[in-house]
Amino acid sequence: MRLFSLAVLLTALVGTAAEAAPTPPVQTTGTVRRHLIYFRDKAGTPFTIAQPQAFLSARAVQRRQRQNIPVQPRDLPVSPTYVAQVKATSGVQLWYTSRWFNAAVVACDSVALGRLQALPFVRSAQTLNRTTRSSTRSLPAEPTSTEAAASVADLLTTRDKNYGQAFWQADMIGAVALHNAGFRGEGMHIAVLDAGFPGVNQSAPFASMRNENRLLSTFDFVGRDRGVYERNSHGTNTLSCMAGNLATTYIGTAPKASYHLLLTEDVSSEHPIEEANWLIAAEYADSAGVDIISSSLGYTTFDFPSRSHTYADMNGRTSVASRAATMAARAGILVVNSAGNDGGSAWRYIGAPADADSVLTVGAVDSLGVIAGFSSVGPTADGRIKPNLAAQGYLAAFVTTGGGVARGNGTSFACPVLAGTAAAFWQANPTLTAQQVMHWLQRSASLADNPNNFLGYGIPNAERANTLAKNGGTIPDGELSIFPNPAGRDLFLNLPAELRNQALRVVIYDVRGALVAEKIMSPSAAAQVPLQPEPLRSGMYLCTVEPQSGGKSRTLRFMQH
């Protein structure tokens, strides 16, 4: 397996880390806390936007060039002169620097903080943690046991045994169709920001990623080392939704993509320092040249005495993580973030960075396409539609640390299921920009013409998005399709020429595989024919169409309101 030296990448490419390890602990008399120190400018920097290769990888530069995004002054590393003076300040320990925020993360007590704020180039300071008190907080995945998962799986139709229990959540949004067309994420680089990845270095579902050198780098931004196969299993579970690749057991939505595993979340407490970790990790991902960030993290409420966010903060411009996500999107990265699991709580709304503009925020549905009760809703505080799209997050299948398969609930799973699908779609359409990828996925979705703040534009269909993107936003005349979709009282079939003037056998199943309707349609020369099934309950359905005389069977998906 190939693991880049993060110390080298962080210094030579990113410019976010001051050195391979934080400056040695300092002698203090007060409580040491983390702070984000903002600088006034980047005066004295030896770097220029004309020479981006000095601080960005070739792949990061190429990603910008491919999307016509110029390197900006915000991409320049902070002034080395300022860094040196911060490190020389008595009582200060330098952890990271931030290009995008022109800032540094430091650890010091209040006396040393006063010394920093007195420096002429320091503009302001923001405290990131106020206590070392342990928290009982847990991440929003709620897995069932493996045994329970097996009984649930019996209810779901596995039409392709190769995918194991992951079939439906991938097929629901068109990932399986893209895989069958040869797009499984090859050549796409995905950074996963999470709370730990135990078992990824050993278990069988991740073996192909390891053996094919598609595990590109790891880094723990909490402990500031490369050890990520520890701490919380949440990252292992979410990663598997994309990277799992073990035939007949589990196949994720981007089983051939390449990955950076970045640990940013400290589950022992909840303070804004984790948003700063998210920022630094996103800058690292940018410099390493990733295409997609998958983040099943969100921030609303912090442990006392740190100040929690308010709904008014959810405007995409206030929180550290949301501002960082916006910067990543402006650099040409597709940022995919879970909406959050507060839909059934008093808060209800999405968190940060899901509120950020240009971020693909993902809500959760069940296998029938019905919104999960826990899925956080929009709008943002400034009135924008959120989430953007939805995928299965209720009883979603994932890989455990031991390599088994279980099911659990959370937008944490919906996010990577969709992020991996986006990678396969982008692979199929490599000339698109990150924002165009999001656009076409939204255009393909079940609520594209009538988005709302529960499911956004709805459940996407990556196969349909691929057709739309390649045909300038239109479905070619004569392609087999169902409309309207989502369906109302009336339902019609669009027939291609080869299916006209012959009797057709049409069968409708629900997603459990139960037969709902079956009929023989008389030959018709019309391009559009009424389907007229019996009234259907709300949910997702599969419709197979084949000539009665024999021939290729075609399957369509549609949603009934």
Side-chain angles (χ1 to χ4, degrees):
M1 128 183 37
R2 181 165 56 105
L3 293 179
F4 291 154
S5 168
L6 266 290
V8 173
L9 280 174
L10 285 167
T11 53
L13 300 181
V14 194
T16 53
E19 51 189 345
T23 51
V26 294
Q27 297 298 319
T28 62
T29 57
T31 301
V32 174
R33 299 186 176 95
R34 301 278 185 89
H35 309 275
L36 191 59
I37 305 298
Y38 293 89
F39 302 134
R40 295 186 183 278
D41 52 46
K42 294 185 177 181
T45 179
F47 302 102
T48 68
I49 60 175
Q51 300 267 324
Q53 64 275 11
F55 52 91
L56 294 173
S57 69
R59 203 174 193 280
V61 175
Q62 291 164 4
R63 187 192 63 237
R64 286 168 167 79
Q65 292 174 340
R66 190 170 62 249
Q67 301 182 57
N68 295 315
I69 298 172
V71 176
Q72 302 279 358
R74 64 173 174 259
D75 295 311
L76 296 174
V78 300
S79 170
T81 302
Y82 297 167
V83 171
Q85 292 186 59
V86 168
K87 291 171 65 177
T89 301
S90 177
V92 174
Q93 187 181 31
L94 178 64
W95 275 70
Y96 301 108
T97 60
S98 166
R99 295 181 285 116
W100 292 339
F101 281 25
N102 192 24
V105 177
V106 301
C108 63
D109 63 17
S110 58
V111 174
L113 179 62
R115 296 189 192 105
L116 283 177
Q117 291 178 301
L119 295 173
F121 55 84
V122 171
R123 175 168 58 86
S124 61
Q126 177 181 351
T127 300
L128 299 172
N129 68 324
R130 295 185 179 276
T131 180
T132 57
R133 180 185 310 168
S134 294
S135 169
T136 57
R137 173 183 172 272
S138 60
L139 283 161
E142 300 175 7
T144 64
S145 69
T146 304
E147 291 76 15
S151 63
V152 172
D154 292 340
L155 299 176
L156 303 177
T157 305
T158 304
R159 297 171 63 91
D160 187 334
K161 300 294 185 183
N162 228 27
Y163 285 77
Q165 295 181 42
F167 174 77
W168 178 246
Q169 63 199 42
D171 190 59
M172 175 190 284
I173 59 176
V176 174
L178 288 184
H179 295 175
N180 291 339
F183 304 106
R184 303 168 72 85
E186 289 91 342
M188 302 300 296
H189 290 197
I190 302 174
V192 186
L193 279 58
D194 219 292
F197 303 89
V200 171
N201 57 330
Q202 296 177 327
S203 68
F206 300 106
S208 70
M209 178 179 66
R210 300 191 306 265
N211 297 338
E212 295 167 9
N213 294 323
R214 293 185 288 102
L215 179 50
L216 301 182
S217 71
T218 67
F219 198 75
D220 176 359
F221 288 87
V222 177
R224 210 170 188 277
D225 57 43
R226 283 182 285 174
V228 300
Y229 306 122
E230 57 186 8
R231 299 183 186 263
N232 193 276
S233 63
H234 189 263
T236 304
N237 305 151
T238 61
L239 171 67
S240 71
C241 295
M242 298 175 283
N245 190 27
L246 184 60
T248 72
T249 297
Y250 193 100
I251 295 179
T253 52
K256 290 294 185 178
S258 297
Y259 292 90
H260 297 268
L261 309 186
L262 309 180
L263 197 163
T264 65
E265 186 77 4
D266 183 357
V267 298
S268 67
S269 63
E270 184 78 337
H271 294 287
I273 182 62
E274 290 164 287
E275 293 197 44
N277 294 341
W278 202 104
L279 160 68
I280 304 303
E283 289 191 23
Y284 166 71
D286 168 41
S287 75
V290 306
D291 304 296
I292 296 172
I293 287 175
S294 178
S295 163
S296 292
L297 301 170
Y299 304 98
T300 57
T301 304
F302 297 116
D303 295 341
F304 179 83
S306 291
R307 174 191 172 274
S308 294
H309 290 310
T310 65
Y311 176 59
D313 293 335
M314 299 297 105
N315 57 16
R317 302 183 302 277
T318 298
S319 79
V320 168
S322 299
R323 289 156 53 207
T326 299
M327 290 289 198
R330 288 176 179 173
I333 297 173
L334 178 64
V335 181
V336 187
N337 206 94
S338 56
N341 297 342
D342 290 315
S345 73
W347 172 274
R348 295 187 62 232
Y349 297 105
I350 56 169
D355 65 318
D357 192 18
S358 305
V359 166
L360 201 171
T361 301
V362 188
V365 295
D366 64 15
S367 62
L368 300 177
V370 178
I371 185 172
F374 57 77
S375 188
S376 293
V377 302
T380 60
D382 55 343
R384 287 175 287 112
I385 288 177
K386 287 287 180 177
N388 298 81
L389 293 168
Q392 186 171 347
Y394 180 79
L395 292 182
F398 61 85
V399 174
T400 66
T401 56
V405 179
R407 290 186 181 273
N409 302 329
T411 57
S412 288
F413 303 124
C415 170
V417 166
L418 185 50
T421 304
F425 170 67
W426 206 350
Q427 178 197 359
N429 298 274
T431 62
L432 296 181
T433 67
Q435 294 305 300
Q436 287 171 334
V437 169
M438 186 162 67
H439 168 77
W440 291 119
L441 288 173
Q442 290 180 165
R443 282 283 306 276
S444 78
S446 58
L447 301 176
D449 295 329
N450 189 29
N452 60 44
N453 284 304
F454 295 93
L455 295 178
Y457 291 83
I459 301 169
N461 183 328
E463 183 181 25
R464 179 179 175 84
N466 192 37
T467 300
L468 289 168
K470 293 184 184 304
N471 291 279
T474 61
I475 299 295
D477 184 40
E479 180 174 299
L480 180 65
S481 62
I482 285 180
F483 72 96
N485 190 6
R489 182 176 303 174
D490 298 315
L491 198 59
F492 297 85
L493 276 177
N494 244 346
L495 295 179
E498 63 270 22
L499 291 182
R500 299 171 195 168
N501 298 305
Q502 60 179 311
L504 301 174
R505 179 174 178 265
V506 179
V507 184
I508 297 177
Y509 302 90
D510 66 21
V511 294
R512 297 183 178 90
L515 178 66
V516 173
E518 181 176 5
K519 65 184 301 184
I520 302 297
M521 299 183 65
S522 301
S524 173
Q528 298 176 354
V529 294
L531 192 53
Q532 294 179 325
E534 295 296 320
L536 301 174
R537 295 181 178 180
S538 297
M540 188 76 69
Y541 292 86
L542 301 176
C543 176
T544 63
V545 181
E546 62 183 0
Q548 188 181 21
S549 59
K552 179 181 178 182
S553 174
R554 312 184 196 190
T555 301
L556 305 169
R557 289 182 297 274
F558 70 94
M559 178 176 286
Q560 176 70 41
H561 276 318

